[in-house]
Amino acid sequence: MIDLFIALSPLLTVGFGGLLLMLAEALGKPANNTGMSPDGAVVVDAGAGRSEELGLLATVILFSGAASSMGVWLADPATLGVELVSPWLQVDRYSLFFSFILCISGGLCTLLGGGYLEEHKIDRGEFFTLVVFSTVGAIALGFAGDLLTVFVALETMSLGVYCMIGLRRSSPRAGEAALKYFLLGSFAAAIMMFGAALLYAATGHTDLAGIGAFVGGLGGEASGETAMVIVGMLLMLIGMAFKISAVPFHMWAPDAYEGAPTPTTSFMAAAVKTAAFAVLLRILLIAFGDPRLMSWGAGWPPVMACLSVLSMTIANVIAGRQSSVKRMLAYSSISHAGYLLMGVCAAMRLPEEASASVMFYLAGYCISTIGAFGALILCGSRGKEAVSYADLAGIGRRHPAAAAAFALFVISLAGMPPTAGFFGKLYVFRATIDAELYSLAIIGLLNSIVGAYYYMKVLVFMYMREPIPGAPIAIPMRSSMVVSALIIAAALVVAIGVLPGALLEMAAVAAAALS
Amino acid sequence: MNALRDAGIEMIPYLIAFVVGYLMPWRKEWFERFAVGSVAALSVAFVLGLWPDKAVEVAETRPEEWGHLLNLIVFLPLIAAIAVVFLPRQSPKLLKQFTMVVLGVDFLASLALLGVPMSEGWHFQYVTEWVPSLGIRYHVAIDGISVWLVLLSTLSTPIALHVSFGSIKKRTKELCFAFLMLHGAMMGAFVSLDLFLFFVFWELMLVPMILIIGIWGGVEKIKASYKFFLYTMAGSMMMLAAILYMAWVFHSIEGYWTFDYLALKRLVLPEDAAFWCFAGFALAFLIKVPMFPFHTWLPDAHVQAPTGGSIILAAVLLKLGTYGYIRFCMGMFEGPAWEASATLAGVAVAGGIFYGALCAWKQSDIKRLVAYSSVAHLGFVMLGLFSGTHAGVSGAIVQMINHGISTGALFLLVGVIYDRRHTRQIADFGGLAKVMPVYTALFVLVTMASVGVPGTNGFVGEFMVIMGTMVSDSLGRHATPAAVGASFGVILAALYMLSMVQRVFFGPLNNPKNEKLTDINSRELVAVAPLVALIFVFGLFPNILLSRMNDSVGATVRHLAEGRIAYEAHAGATTAKLRPKRGGPWEAGHPSPPQVADVAVALNAGADK
C-alpha cells in the first residue's frame, strides 16, 4: 500500500499541495492588511496582494511534484504495486515522463504568475490554486487508462483553466475569452463523452486496453460494432483535437489566448496541450492500436494527417499576418500542434520512435513557449504592455537582457540550433521520414520556413527597428520571479539543445513503456 | 594515495568553476559570492552529467597532429561569444580588444594547420560521441581543400571586424557577439564531417548574419535580411529532409544510426531517391553560392550590409556554398552530380558568368556592381566544379580563395569611400585619383586581381578553370562551348570593372564634394595590406595553394569517377545498396556499429519492426 502511495506521489504531492495552498490563501491576510484594493475602493479577496509568496509556494509544490515524478521514474513504477489502480490510472514511465513535463511547465507558469499578477493589479490568490489543481487534472490525464478517468481528468484540468482565463474580471475581453473557451470546451467534452458512450455500447469496455482487445477481435468485418467503434473514435478525436487546438477546431484558441492573462496563456499553450497529447497518444495506440485502424486506408492516420497539414499551414499563414505578438504566439502554438500531429501520424508505422519524438518535442516546446510568453511578460509593465510588434521596437537596444531571452525562445520555437526546439523538430521529422510519410514531412519542412518568417519578425522588431517617435513603447517590468522563470527556461532550452542525449533516452524509454 | 589523487583531479573542473564564480565581481558579501560559486560548480556538474559518457573514440591519430587543434579553432570564438555577453557594454574598448585578441589567437592557431603536409586522408581528425542515441557524432577533420577555406576565414574575420570598428560606433557588444558567433559557426561548418554537425553549424550562421545585416545595414536593411534569411532557410530545410532520408536508408541497411559523412558517402541510392537527395543538397548550396536564378538575395544583402558584413559574406559565407557542393554534392551523389553537370555548367556560364557580368556592367552603385561581379566570379568557380577534372576543380578552389581575397578587398575599399562620402553612386565620383592617389593605386591593383590579369591571383584560377573545362568528360560535347563562353566572360569582367574604375578614379574632378577627400588612413591600410600582399603571393606562387590541395583534389576527382561507375552499375534498381568500404586514409574515422545493447537500442527499436 505504501508502495502505491509512492507510485502515485506525483499526483498526491501536487493534489495535497493544492489543498495546502488553498488553506494558505484562505487563512492569510491580504498583504496590505486592510482588505482594500490599492485604490481603496473594493474589498479584495483573501490571498490578494500576496502573489509573490503564494506564487513561490505553488512553484515549490509543482517542482516537488516534478521531483517526485523523477523519483518514481528511477524507482521503476512497475515494482510499486500499481496494478491496484490499473486500468483507471496507469502509472508507468510514459505517464511519469508527462507528469514531469507538466509539473515543470506548471511551476514555470506560477513563477510567471507571481510577477505578472502583482504588476497588473490582478493579484488574486486563487490563480495559483487553480494552476495547481489544473496541473493535477493534467497529470491525471497523463495517467488515465480508462475513459472515465480520462473524462474526469479532462474536466478537472479544464475547469481550472476556464476560471484562470477570466481572472481579470473587469476586462470584457477576458470575459469573452473565458465564455468562448467554456462554451466550446463543454461542447467538445460532450462530443467526447458521446464518443465514449458509443465505444462502451459497442465494446462493453471503458478501459482502453479492453477496448483495444475487443476492436482487435472484431477482425475488421463490416458490422454494427465496427461502425460504432469508428464513429466513437472520430468523436473522441474531435474532442481531443479541440483541446490541442488543431485546425479546424482551433477557433477558440486565438481569442482565448489573447484575452487571458499571459501566465494563463502560457499554461494553456504548454500544459493543456501536453496533457491532451499524452492522452491522445495513449488512446490511439492502446484503444485503437489495431493494425487495421492504424492503416492508411481504414483508420485514424489520414484524419490525423489532414488535421496536421491544416493546422500547420493555416496557422502559419495566419500567424504571419498578425500584428499582435501574443496572437502570433497563439497561432504559433496551433502550428506546433500541427508538427506534433505529424509525429502522431508517424506512430502508425513506428509507434515507439514516433511517440518518443512527440514526447521529446513536447518537452522542448513547453519550455520554449512558456519562455516566449514569459519574455513577453517581462518586456511590458502595467499600462505599457508589450502587445504588438511595434511595442517591441528597439527593445534590443533599451533592454538587452529581456530581448536576448525573447530571441532565444523564439529561435527555439523556430527550430534553429543550439536550442531544444531544434532537436525536437529534427526528431519529429526523422520519425515522419522513417515512417515513409515523405509528403507530410516535406509539407512540414515548407511550413517551418513560413514559421521562420514570423519568428524572425520578432528579432527584426527587437533589434533592427526603432520605435516611431511618440508611439507608445513597452517598458519592461521588474520582477525577480519572472526573471528566475526565464533563467530556468533558458538554461533548460540551451541544455537540451546542446546535450539532448539524456532526455532523448528518457523519451525512448517512456515510449517503450506505452506499448 | 592514488585514489585520492584521482579524486583530486576529478574535482578540478568544479573547483575552477567555483573559483571563477566566487571571484566574479557581481556581489559584495562573501556568502553571496559563495552562492554564485556553488551555482557555477553545480552547473558544471550538470553539464558533465549530461555529457554522453561514451569514451572518446579517436580514429588513427597522426602523431604529429594535435587532435584538439580544430576544437580550439571552432570553439574558441563560440565560447568567446558567450563571454562577450557578460562583458560590460559600457566599455567598448575592452570589448573590441577582447574580440580582436580572440580572433588573432584563432588565426595563429589556424596557421598551425599549415605545419603538416596535406597528404592523402583526413588531418587533425577528432571524433567523439555527441548524441549516441541518434547516432550523431562530433566528427571534425580537414583536408587540403578545407584547410584553405579555414585559413581564408580566420584571416577575413579579423579584417572585417577591424574595418567594422572603424565605421560602426554603436552597439559594439552586439557586433562583437555576432562576429564571434558567425566566425565559430563558419569554422565549424568547414571542418564538420558529420552531416548533422554540419547542419547545426550551417543553421547557426544564419542568426548572426541577419543581425549584422539588419542592425548595422543600410536603408533597406530589413528587407535584405528577410530575403537572406528566407532564401537560406528554404534551402536548408530541403537539405535537412535529404539528410534525414539518407540516415534512414543507411539505418535500414546497416541497422544502426549514423549521420557520418564517411558512412553516408558509401550509399548508392536508386536513381529517383539519389536525384531528389542531390537536389535537396544542391538547392541549399546553389542558393548560398548563389547561382542564377537563386542569386537575387545577394545584391540586396551586399548593398545593405555594413562593409564588414559584406567582406565576410563575400569572402567566406558564399564559399560555404561552393565548399558544400564539392564536399557533399560531389562527394555523396557522384552519379546525379555527373549527370546534372552539363546542364548546370550551362547555367553557370549563361546565368552566372554572362548575365552576372552584364548586370554588373549596368549598375550605378559601386557596391552593387561588386556584388554582381561576385555572381560572375562564382560562376567560374561552379564551372570548374562541374567540369569534374583535376585542373578544373583545383582552379575552382584557387578561385574560391582568390575571390575571397580580391572581392573582400574590393568591398573594403568601397567601404572606405562610403565612409567619407556616404554615397556609392558612380556618378557622384570622378577623378578621385587626383585627391586619393594611394587609394586609387590600391583600388586599381585589386581590380586587376579581380579581372584576372596575369601575375595576380585571379589569373591562375580562371586559367585553370577554363583549361579544366575544355578537357572535361562530364560536360561531354558541351565542354568546348562552355570553355569558350567562360573565356569571353573574362573579357566582360575587364569591361565592367575597368569602366567603373575609369569613371570613378579618372577623368575630371568635377564634383566639388570630392575635392576635400582624404586619402586612405593607416587603419584602413592595415586592413587592406594583407589582402593586397596575398594577391601577389598567390599570383606569383600559386604552388603554395596547389601543392597542399593536390592530393585532396585528386581523391575528390577519383572518388567522383568511381562513385559514378557504381551508380551507373546500380541503375534500374529500386533499393539502395552500400558500397564496400574503400579503406585507407579517406575512410579513417568511419563509424562502427554500436557495440553495447543499451537504451539507444530501445530508442531505435521502433524502426526495426
Side-chain angles (χ1 to χ4, degrees):
Chain A
M1 207 53 199
I2 295 289
D3 281 358
L4 188 62
F5 279 120
I6 293 173
L8 289 177
S9 65
L11 204 55
L12 298 177
T13 313
V14 182
F16 281 107
L19 293 176
L20 277 179
L21 193 63
M22 266 171 87
L23 276 182
E25 185 210 332
L27 298 181
K29 285 181 182 153
N32 59 7
N33 223 359
T34 58
M36 308 296 254
S37 70
D39 52 13
V42 191
V43 179
V44 293
D45 315 311
R50 295 193 298 147
S51 61
E52 204 153 291
E53 52 188 274
L54 289 175
L56 215 52
L57 196 57
T59 311
V60 169
I61 291 168
L62 288 164
F63 280 175
S64 46
S68 71
S69 324
M70 205 28 63
V72 182
W73 169 289
L74 291 175
D76 191 0
T79 62
L80 292 176
V82 289
E83 57 283 345
L84 267 177
V85 284
S86 168
W88 299 283
L89 292 177
Q90 298 278 10
V91 186
D92 48 23
R93 284 192 168 154
Y94 174 79
S95 33
L96 288 169
F97 185 89
F98 276 105
S99 79
F100 182 70
I101 306 179
L102 290 167
C103 287
I104 297 275
S105 311
L108 290 175
C109 293
T110 48
L111 269 182
L112 292 180
Y116 179 89
L117 300 186
E118 190 181 7
E119 175 73 28
H120 293 266
K121 303 289 177 228
I122 41 174
D123 48 348
R124 308 224 319 269
E126 64 263 36
F127 175 82
F128 304 101
T129 323
L130 289 171
V131 173
V132 172
F133 281 129
S134 288
T135 314
V136 172
I139 296 172
L141 202 54
F143 279 123
D146 187 290
L147 292 178
L148 292 175
T149 35
V150 167
F151 189 74
V152 171
L154 192 72
E155 287 302 293
T156 312
M157 177 179 79
S158 308
L159 279 174
V161 178
Y162 300 142
C163 307
M164 278 151 62
I165 295 176
L167 195 70
R168 187 180 277 139
R169 282 186 297 204
S170 54
S171 152
R173 299 233 26 198
E176 181 204 338
L179 188 67
K180 212 171 206 169
Y181 187 40
F182 175 65
L183 285 179
L184 287 173
S186 321
F187 201 60
I191 290 178
M192 203 164 151
M193 198 64 191
F194 187 45
L198 284 180
L199 284 176
Y200 177 64
T203 64
H205 286 279
T206 54
D207 63 309
L208 300 178
I211 294 175
F214 186 87
V215 171
L218 277 177
E221 284 167 42
S223 62
E225 279 95 355
T226 314
M228 267 165 90
V229 164
I230 287 180
V231 173
M233 178 182 84
L234 287 178
L235 292 176
M236 296 285 293
L237 288 185
I238 288 174
M240 281 177 291
F242 176 85
K243 281 291 164 205
I244 60 175
S245 64
V247 176
F249 307 104
H250 70 293
M251 293 300 183
W252 58 274
D255 289 337
Y257 280 30
E258 201 186 15
T262 315
T264 310
T265 315
S266 61
F267 186 79
M268 284 156 72
V272 173
K273 197 164 282 196
T274 306
F277 267 104
V279 73
L280 177 68
L281 271 177
R282 198 190 278 274
I283 290 182
L284 286 181
L285 294 182
I286 303 290
F288 306 117
D290 183 59
R292 273 173 232 91
L293 281 181
M294 290 229 273
S295 69
W296 194 261
W300 49 262
V303 181
M304 289 289 130
C306 281
L307 289 179
S308 164
V309 170
L310 284 176
S311 306
M312 288 189 281
T313 316
I314 293 180
N316 271 329
V317 169
I318 301 178
R321 302 182 56 83
Q322 299 303 314
S323 59
S324 151
V325 180
K326 204 170 166 186
R327 221 173 157 82
M328 178 278 278
L329 285 174
Y331 278 107
S332 115
S333 94
I334 300 174
S335 75
H336 281 281
Y339 301 130
L340 283 160
L341 282 172
M342 204 165 74
V344 174
C345 264
M348 67 186 261
R349 297 218 174 93
L350 304 167
E352 280 184 23
E353 190 192 343
S355 32
S357 76
V358 169
M359 291 159 79
F360 184 84
Y361 192 106
L362 276 170
Y365 159 78
C366 277
I367 301 165
S368 326
T369 203
I370 292 178
F373 280 115
L376 193 62
I377 291 177
L378 188 69
C379 285
S381 52
R382 182 171 159 77
K384 310 268 187 209
E385 285 98 341
V387 177
S388 66
Y389 284 107
D391 293 338
L392 291 176
I395 217 150
R397 192 177 44 75
R398 285 180 278 128
H399 302 280
F406 208 164
L408 177 73
F409 296 121
V410 159
I411 286 174
S412 177
L413 285 175
M416 292 169 76
T419 57
F422 172 67
F423 270 99
K425 191 163 91 174
L426 174 96
Y427 202 5
V428 166
F429 280 117
R430 198 192 84 168
T432 316
I433 287 179
D434 294 355
E436 300 177 19
L437 301 169
Y438 302 126
S439 28
L440 198 58
I442 297 289
I443 294 173
L445 285 167
L446 290 176
N447 261 299
S448 57
I449 302 170
V450 181
Y453 161 74
Y454 58 80
Y455 292 125
M456 191 194 150
K457 210 162 154 187
V458 175
L459 292 186
V460 164
F461 272 87
M462 286 197 308
Y463 285 102
M464 305 173 194
R465 284 192 200 272
E466 287 301 317
I468 303 157
I473 51 169
I475 295 178
M477 65 184 288
R478 307 179 75 82
S479 158
S480 54
M481 294 185 81
V482 175
V483 169
S484 51
L486 291 185
I487 289 176
I488 295 173
L492 285 173
V493 162
V494 174
I496 301 176
V498 177
L499 297 169
L503 192 65
L504 280 170
E505 282 168 15
M506 273 179 70
V509 172
L514 180 59
S515 45
Chain B
M1 199 56 201
N2 243 348
L4 203 63
R5 201 191 61 200
D6 289 349
I9 289 171
E10 269 189 27
M11 290 292 287
I12 287 176
Y14 307 101
L15 285 177
I16 292 175
F18 180 81
V19 170
V20 170
Y22 192 85
L23 295 180
M24 277 274 208
W26 282 2
R27 299 280 180 205
K28 287 208 175 65
E29 300 289 330
W30 71 268
F31 55 87
E32 286 178 320
R33 296 161 73 113
F34 187 82
V36 174
S38 315
V39 168
L42 279 178
S43 20
V44 168
F46 182 63
V47 170
L48 290 181
L50 279 180
W51 203 267
D53 50 357
K54 292 269 175 59
V56 179
E57 162 208 331
V58 183
E60 307 154 33
T61 40
R62 299 176 189 237
E64 72 280 10
E65 296 170 359
W66 183 47
H68 285 290
L69 185 58
L70 289 179
N71 300 349
L72 175 77
I73 294 175
V74 173
F75 285 101
L76 183 67
L78 290 178
I79 292 171
I82 296 166
V84 159
V85 174
F86 296 101
L87 287 180
R89 174 177 301 275
Q90 290 78 9
S91 54
K93 204 170 165 195
L94 173 70
L95 285 165
K96 288 178 187 177
Q97 284 168 351
F98 175 76
T99 315
M100 286 312 280
V101 166
V102 167
L103 290 175
V105 171
D106 215 41
F107 175 61
L108 292 178
S110 70
L111 283 182
L113 296 174
L114 290 177
V116 292
M118 283 291 151
S119 53
E120 289 268 334
W122 304 107
H123 293 264
F124 294 100
Q125 194 167 31
Y126 186 83
V127 191
T128 184
E129 296 289 350
W130 180 19
V131 190
S133 50
L134 292 179
I136 299 167
R137 306 193 309 165
Y138 173 79
H139 182 180
V140 291
I142 53 164
D143 66 351
I145 299 173
S146 45
V147 65
W148 288 114
L149 295 164
V150 167
L151 282 166
L152 178 67
S153 338
T154 51
L155 176 70
S156 314
T157 315
I159 291 177
L161 196 62
H162 180 76
V163 171
S164 302
F165 286 151
S167 53
I168 294 173
K169 301 290 182 204
K170 55 169 191 174
R171 301 171 85 175
T172 316
K173 188 169 169 176
E174 280 93 342
L175 187 73
C176 293
F177 174 79
F179 264 86
L180 285 170
M181 198 82 187
L182 182 64
H183 184 62
M186 292 186 311
M187 292 290 97
F190 279 133
V191 300
S192 304
L193 281 189
D194 187 282
L195 287 184
F196 190 84
L197 191 66
F198 173 75
F199 186 78
V200 168
F201 284 123
W202 176 270
E203 291 275 278
L204 205 58
M205 288 183 310
L206 261 182
V207 173
M209 194 63 218
I210 56 171
L211 289 181
I212 291 174
I213 298 178
I215 297 182
W216 299 279
V219 186
E220 298 258 298
K221 59 185 184 181
I222 290 171
K223 185 182 149 210
S225 50
Y226 271 128
K227 219 167 172 179
F228 171 73
F229 182 65
L230 291 178
Y231 267 71
T232 319
M233 195 80 189
S236 59
M237 283 300 118
M238 296 303 113
M239 180 162 76
L240 178 63
I243 292 176
L244 291 174
Y245 176 79
M246 290 177 64
W248 175 66
V249 171
F250 186 88
H251 172 260
S252 55
I253 296 177
E254 279 289 81
Y256 65 95
W257 288 103
T258 181
F259 287 87
D260 202 88
Y261 168 69
L262 302 177
L264 298 184
K265 189 174 158 62
R266 288 168 51 214
L267 277 178
V268 185
L269 294 171
E271 273 169 301
D272 273 4
F275 173 75
W276 285 111
C277 285
F278 169 75
F281 273 86
L283 184 68
F285 297 138
L286 295 185
I287 286 176
K288 201 79 168 188
V289 168
M291 209 168 110
F292 179 87
F294 307 115
H295 66 288
T296 49
W297 63 269
L298 183 80
D300 284 336
H302 265 315
V303 172
Q304 300 306 330
T307 306
S310 291
I311 295 173
I312 289 278
L313 193 61
V316 191
L317 234 59
L318 306 187
K319 302 307 172 306
L320 270 160
T322 46
Y323 166 77
Y325 193 86
I326 306 182
R327 178 70 82 227
F328 299 107
C329 284
M330 288 165 67
M332 294 194 302
F333 311 102
E334 301 91 347
W338 188 279
E339 281 169 7
S341 57
T343 317
L344 289 175
V347 178
V349 172
I353 299 176
F354 272 96
Y355 179 73
L358 293 175
C359 284
W361 196 14
K362 292 305 290 176
Q363 298 306 317
S364 56
D365 180 319
I366 307 175
K367 210 171 175 187
R368 223 177 161 82
L369 187 148
V370 179
Y372 274 108
S373 85
S374 280
V375 177
H377 283 149
L378 287 161
F380 272 103
V381 175
M382 292 314 290
L383 182 64
L385 298 184
F386 295 139
S387 79
T389 53
H390 196 290
V393 174
S394 310
I397 297 163
V398 171
Q399 194 60 7
M400 274 154 75
I401 310 299
N402 293 339
H403 174 260
I405 296 169
S406 49
T407 309
L410 274 178
F411 276 121
L412 201 164
L413 291 171
V414 173
V416 168
I417 42 169
Y418 181 73
D419 284 345
R420 287 165 176 55
R421 283 279 277 109
H422 294 283
T423 174
R424 288 183 299 247
Q425 297 298 317
I426 295 174
D428 289 343
F429 297 105
L432 290 189
K434 294 191 182 71
V435 286
M436 305 172 79
V438 181
Y439 177 75
T440 308
L442 287 170
F443 202 103
V444 172
L445 213 146
V446 176
T447 306
M448 292 304 165
S450 176
V451 171
V453 172
T456 64
N457 58 355
F459 174 73
V460 185
E462 285 178 1
F463 180 74
M464 287 178 75
V465 166
I466 294 171
M467 204 169 75
T469 310
M470 199 66 134
V471 298
S472 162
D473 283 340
S474 63
L475 302 185
R477 62 196 167 83
H478 302 290
T480 316
V484 173
S487 318
F488 274 107
V490 180
I491 301 173
L492 281 178
L495 193 63
Y496 63 78
M497 287 306 288
L498 294 180
S499 74
M500 182 266 283
V501 167
Q502 194 263 328
R503 280 183 285 164
V504 171
F505 293 99
F506 303 106
L509 180 65
N510 46 17
N511 190 336
K513 282 182 190 162
N514 293 335
E515 282 164 10
K516 294 267 163 54
L517 284 179
T518 50
D519 208 337
I520 191 164
N521 61 26
S522 58
R523 167 189 198 87
E524 293 149 350
L525 208 55
V526 166
V528 80
L531 297 174
V532 173
L534 284 177
I535 286 177
F536 286 111
V537 171
F538 289 149
L540 297 173
F541 311 106
N543 216 31
I544 300 175
L545 292 171
L546 292 172
S547 64
R548 281 199 170 73
M549 71 174 67
N550 204 15
D551 288 337
S552 305
V553 171
T556 307
V557 173
R558 203 167 62 237
H559 295 171
L560 181 69
E562 285 171 14
R564 178 180 65 106
I565 292 164
Y567 172 78
E568 279 167 7
H570 194 57
T574 52
T575 51
K577 71 165 189 179
L578 211 55
R579 206 168 37 68
K581 275 192 195 172
R582 181 182 282 125
W586 290 109
E587 269 183 358
H590 188 288
S592 48
Q595 312 275 304
V596 274
D598 57 0
V599 209
V601 179
L603 176 58
N604 301 325
D608 296 336
K609 282 176 188 166

